[in-house]
Amino acid sequence: ITYVNASAMRILSIENVDILGHIVWEVFPQLIGGEFHRALTETQRSGVASRLEYKSILVDKWLDVSLTPSATGVTVFFRDVTEVRHLSQQLSQSQRLEAIGQLTGGIAHDFNNMLAVVLGGIELAKRRLRSDPDKADQLLDNAREGATRAATLTARLLAFARNQPLAPTSLDANKLGYQVGVRINI
């Protein structure tokens, strides 16, 4: 280590320059074998400048590091990008939430349309049941189809939310201790 400026000392929380004249691995042995160590030794070996962004193990900060080979070693420039990364993550999270909100609105609209078919079919079937039983059957079949489509959409959404492939299985809810039934008033 031949030179350390005030900004580097501040970022690395170094209070004095007793590190000058020492080999970097003697002063910071915890860096050996890590990402910075590999980048520095590769830059020195290859003679080709490199750059990396990594989470420093010396301080709890993200650093953008530029490594430039020189005749006597490697010149290292770095800057603290912790706040920039934090703001970028917040923006990304905000964009994801906005996208989820838009997706949810579209799904709710589709689901509402399916439920309208079910509820409308049931209401019409109730009216037609006595006067035209065949028409009531057809209306109830349409309602069942709408409910089945809604159930399929729900299963797909749940699988998507859990990042799982769709693999439906049959089960008897009564054996699980639940009573399953439907009551229809005519």
Side-chain angles (χ1 to χ4, degrees):
I1 301 173
T2 57
Y3 175 75
V4 180
N5 68 18
S7 292
M9 290 174 56
R10 179 182 45 77
I11 291 172
L12 295 177
S13 300
I14 299 171
E15 295 185 12
N16 58 46
V17 288
D18 289 344
I19 62 174
L20 293 179
H22 293 279
I23 296 172
V24 70
W25 315 125
E26 292 172 357
V27 179
F28 304 112
Q30 62 271 41
L31 294 176
I32 296 173
E35 190 176 2
F36 177 76
H37 179 250
R38 288 189 297 277
L40 189 95
T41 54
E42 177 59 24
T43 299
Q44 186 175 23
R45 185 197 62 73
S46 69
V48 177
S50 64
R51 183 179 205 122
L52 77 143
E53 188 171 295
Y54 85 109
K55 178 79 172 207
S56 171
I57 61 172
L58 298 176
V59 289
D60 189 27
K61 296 177 183 175
W62 281 92
L63 301 177
D64 178 28
V65 182
S66 297
L67 305 150
T68 307
S70 67
T72 59
V74 177
T75 302
V76 178
F77 292 99
F78 56 89
R79 65 186 176 99
D80 182 354
V81 292
T82 305
E83 186 63 24
V84 172
R85 282 184 65 95
H86 179 69
L87 292 173
S88 176
Q89 288 170 343
Q90 284 181 330
L91 177 61
S92 179
Q93 177 70 11
S94 173
Q95 289 170 335
R96 276 194 299 270
L97 290 175
E98 181 180 349
I100 289 170
Q102 290 174 356
L103 177 64
T104 303
I107 291 167
H109 179 74
D110 289 347
F111 202 76
N112 194 39
N113 288 342
M114 291 176 209
L115 290 175
V117 169
V118 172
L119 295 173
I122 291 170
E123 187 60 36
L124 288 173
K126 280 175 56 177
R127 292 181 192 170
R128 300 270 178 133
L129 191 57
R130 291 196 175 106
S131 64
D132 189 356
D134 290 337
K135 183 65 175 173
D137 258 1
Q138 182 184 0
L139 291 169
L140 288 170
D141 287 343
N142 288 344
R144 182 186 303 118
E145 182 183 333
T148 301
R149 288 177 54 215
T152 300
L153 175 61
T154 301
R156 288 180 179 163
L157 289 171
L158 289 171
F160 175 76
R162 295 181 190 127
N163 288 327
Q164 295 175 344
L166 293 175
T169 59
S170 297
L171 61 97
D172 184 348
N174 291 321
K175 289 181 181 175
L176 295 174
Y178 301 102
Q179 290 190 357
V180 179
V182 177
R183 180 176 175 196
I184 300 175
N185 293 327
I186 300 176

